[in-house]
Each structure stands twice: as structure tokens, then as C-alpha cells.
Amino acid sequence: MRYIIGNWKMFPKTKEEAKVLVRGAVKLARNARRSRIVVCPPMPFLGLFTGKHGKLGVGAQNAWFEDEGARTGESSPAMLASLGLTHVILGHSERRAMGETNQDIAKKAALAVKYGLTVILCVGEKTREEDAGYFYEVEQELTASLVGFPKAKGKQLIVAYEPIWAIGKNAVRPATPKDTEEMVILIRKTLVKLFGRTVGFRVPVLYGGSVDEKNSGTYIREGHADGLLIGRASVDLAKFSTIARDADRI
Ligand code: PGA
């Protein structure tokens, strides 16, 4: 199974634009043969999906680590699950940059799986130094973000490798398929160490960071990623559709 996941971030501006993206994503999911399509819209647009999204997976971009409480601006996994959501992104670098720690993420992940959500856990190094310390950085981040994640819930985990230097408008460059392949192996080894071979080999490992309709296939074909986490290109329906259709054919 291949995963094509759109992280809409804080886009688009209006409900009308969001509705167009929703319709497009539902159609893509209906026609996908070998892949699972998931979209993660901003909170105000989650209601556009409820009950009528067919095969499309729908996720939130964050969740809190308690069921309810005085937490202005937050939402809990219990609430997301009760809306019929299937996924939640946790540990995105843009959230980590706002102060979220590995410990917070680990607590959020453990609670999210309890409510049946699949966690899309993001990890990735900030920069690429010559000394290859980034392998250690990613291994540490992944391990610490999964403390307390129940081995029995391995089916509810997706890991997205997102090198921070390759994300968003200020990206230095997209990662190469080789950068991706090396890190997919490292992540896979770490998952096997944490969860054992059966679970460790089953967790999908995706690539994310400046993925577009031109480079998307290379991360799957040459980088051996099990799919893609797409930011900017996921709110451009034509680009997202091309990426999803191409990935489905590989
Ligand atoms: P980008 O974002 O595709 O716009 O680089 C990826 C992400 O942050 O998930």
C-alpha cells in the first residue's frame, strides 16, 4: 500500500476553495487502486468532510494529549475521532518550531492511537552537516517521540521523514532520492529496534519536503519511500491529482 497524504497547513483562505479541494480528493481516493489518499485540512474545514468522504482518509494537523480540559485553541484525539477522522499528523516541524517537544508528541501519539486514529509522525533533521550527525538526530527524535507507543498498535503508525531544510518556501533544495533512501533505511532499522521485525517492517515510511508533480515519483521509485507527505502542492488540485495518479501507477 502506498500513501499519498496532503498537509494543507493553513490553506486555503475560504470554505469555497476548500470545497473544491474536498471534491477533488474524494474523487482521487475513489479512483486509487494501489494507494490510500489522506488529506489533513485546517480545523475549520474538517466539517466539510464528515460522513461523505468515502475511501478518503481525513486527518487533523495536530491534537492535544488529554481528553478535555481548559486548553484554549486545542482539540483532543477523542473529539477528532468522534468526528469520524482517521488520521492525525503529530510532530510536524512547524509545530516543533512552536515549542512542541518529543515528550509532548509521545504523549499525543499514545492517546491518539487509543482513540483509533492513525498517527502520521513527522521526523527530520534541521540541517545537513558533513559529519552525518543527522542520522543520530533523526534516530533520537524518532525514538523519543515514540516512547509509550504501544507495540500492538503498530498498524496505526506512519512515519514521515521530512528534512527541515527541504520544507516550504525557504527550502535549500529538495532532498535527493538518495538522501531519502538512506534515511528510509535508518528509520526502518530504528522501528525494528523499537517494535521488532514484524511491526517494524510494516510501518509505512514516507518522504515529505518540496514534493511536486515533477519529482514525486523518484522518491518512491529510487528513494524507496512508501508514499509522500505533500505540503504546498496538496492545495493545488491539478498538482495533487498528478502526484496521486502517478504514485498509484508505480
Ligand atoms: P512542502 O511541505 O511540500 O510545502 O515543502 C511539506 C510539509 O511540511 O509537510
Side-chain angles (χ1 to χ4, degrees):
M1 178 70 86
R2 194 149 287 148
Y3 290 83
I4 299 299
I5 303 180
N7 171 14
W8 293 7
K9 305 193 178 182
M10 202 174 72
F11 297 99
K13 277 205 280 275
T14 66
K15 181 174 81 178
E16 285 67 35
E17 292 168 275
K19 277 183 176 168
V20 174
L21 294 174
V22 171
R23 278 197 295 274
V26 169
K27 202 165 140 203
L28 280 175
R30 195 187 310 127
N31 296 330
R33 294 283 160 265
R34 268 175 287 194
S35 42
R36 178 98 207 263
I37 315 282
V38 181
V39 288
C40 302
M43 289 290 172
F45 299 143
L46 285 174
L48 299 177
F49 290 88
T50 312
K52 49 185 175 200
H53 45 81
K55 279 165 66 188
L56 180 70
V58 182
Q61 298 172 11
N62 184 31
W64 188 248
F65 51 72
E66 291 160 322
D67 285 343
E68 54 187 358
R71 301 284 179 200
T72 304
E74 296 289 347
S75 2
S76 74
M79 296 167 185
L80 301 174
S82 81
L83 277 182
L85 262 59
T86 50
H87 292 70
V88 60
I89 298 176
L90 293 177
H92 191 279
S93 58
E94 288 157 10
R95 305 264 353 148
R96 290 180 188 264
M98 292 175 205
E100 207 171 273
T101 65
N102 289 326
Q103 286 81 355
D104 297 333
I105 295 157
K107 285 194 275 180
K108 292 174 175 199
L111 189 61
V113 291
K114 199 173 134 198
Y115 283 97
L117 297 168
T118 294
V119 170
I120 304 160
L121 173 65
C122 300
V123 292
E125 76 279 11
K126 289 186 193 65
T127 52
R128 277 241 157 168
E129 308 296 350
E130 292 304 313
D131 66 1
Y134 49 87
F135 285 119
Y136 180 72
E137 191 181 334
V138 171
E139 186 184 352
Q140 290 301 301
E141 190 174 60
L142 180 62
T143 306
S145 303
L146 287 172
V147 169
F149 193 100
K151 200 169 156 182
K153 302 276 186 187
K155 275 194 184 149
Q156 285 168 248
L157 178 64
I158 295 174
V159 175
Y161 167 55
E162 297 211 308
I164 295 169
W165 49 269
I167 293 179
K169 275 213 297 260
N170 300 323
V172 181
R173 60 169 173 89
T176 64
K178 185 158 183 303
D179 294 331
T180 304
E181 186 187 27
E182 287 174 351
M183 208 49 100
V184 167
I185 294 170
L186 185 272
I187 290 171
R188 178 76 59 214
K189 273 191 183 158
T190 310
L191 289 169
V192 167
K193 214 191 295 173
L194 293 173
F195 297 126
R197 289 179 69 84
T198 315
V199 176
F201 275 105
R202 212 167 40 201
V203 174
V205 180
L206 318 187
Y207 171 72
S210 297
V211 173
D212 62 28
E213 73 289 8
K214 293 185 196 87
N215 63 19
S216 58
T218 61
Y219 295 113
I220 298 172
R221 245 183 267 110
E222 298 158 43
H224 303 291
D226 299 306
L228 303 163
L229 179 57
I230 305 145
R232 276 159 296 165
S234 73
V235 284
D236 179 321
L237 188 54
K239 288 185 183 174
F240 191 60
S241 305
T242 305
I243 294 169
R245 282 196 213 103
D246 285 355
D248 203 49
R249 273 189 225 114
I250 296 171

